Amino acid sequence: INENGDRLRLSAAGKVTFHAGEESRYGVSCAGEAPTAAEAAQAAWELLGRATGPWKGESAYVLTGMEATAEGWIVRFQARLGGVPVWTGETGEAAWFAVKGRRISDFSLSLRSYTASGAVCVVTGERLAAAAMSALPGAGGRLTLRYSDSGQAELTAGWITEE
């Protein structure tokens, strides 16, 4: 959809991308000339809530990154289901927002609804997973449980290592 310079795209997998034209559709309130990290994060959080509210199911979102850019901020969020991270797409983030000046100029988010099914998912125990990890050459970091969203009807659960 192109309207007044704004571009909005929705993929069949539920990924929404937005690029703003000249109009400030999603303003960012700030006390100074430019938003602070906290002000940028608050504006992104509010827009994420409005955009995903009807579709998020039992998932929650957590702020996972703030990156200062020459023009403002990139704000990143990850989905969680029952406190466990949900890895979405190639980067694992469920949403990101670009704050340029006093507005959100671009964003991308996955409109996915996560609801616990009650089905039992068998995952290797943490001690066994840690033992297997230590047997791998060059393995290090910490062991983390996460869900992976491959765009199918169900998530998969498993252990990964993080630096």
Side-chain angles (χ1 to χ4, degrees):
I1 300 172
N2 291 316
E3 184 178 295
N4 298 327
D6 292 345
R7 289 191 321 259
L8 180 69
R9 292 189 178 133
L10 177 61
S11 76
K15 184 169 186 156
V16 176
T17 55
F18 173 82
H19 174 75
E22 297 301 316
E23 189 177 315
S24 283
R25 184 174 305 274
Y26 303 112
V28 177
S29 298
C30 60
E33 282 186 36
T36 63
E39 291 166 335
Q42 181 66 36
W45 175 256
E46 289 171 3
L47 182 53
L48 177 64
R50 288 194 322 258
T52 62
W55 292 282
K56 71 179 191 155
E58 296 175 12
S59 63
Y61 295 95
V62 294
L63 175 67
T64 54
M66 293 290 301
E67 177 186 335
T69 67
E71 299 169 312
W73 298 96
I74 302 291
V75 186
R76 301 178 192 283
F77 295 92
Q78 188 177 57
R80 303 281 167 119
L81 181 60
V84 176
V86 177
W87 190 266
T88 308
E90 293 177 20
T91 62
E93 61 199 21
W96 63 264
F97 297 82
V99 176
K100 294 180 182 174
R102 293 175 172 251
R103 69 184 187 139
I104 294 174
S105 62
D106 299 88
F107 64 80
S108 177
L109 55 93
S110 295
L111 288 180
R112 300 280 289 166
S113 180
Y114 302 115
T115 303
S117 66
V120 175
C121 176
V122 179
V123 177
T124 304
E126 185 176 8
R127 289 178 41 194
L128 183 58
M133 181 186 80
S134 66
L136 295 173
R142 69 184 172 122
L143 203 55
T144 304
L145 180 65
R146 79 170 182 204
Y147 292 113
S148 293
D149 181 349
S150 61
Q152 303 301 312
E154 294 184 1
L155 300 175
T156 56
W159 294 101
I160 58 138
T161 58
E162 292 181 332
E163 295 298 319

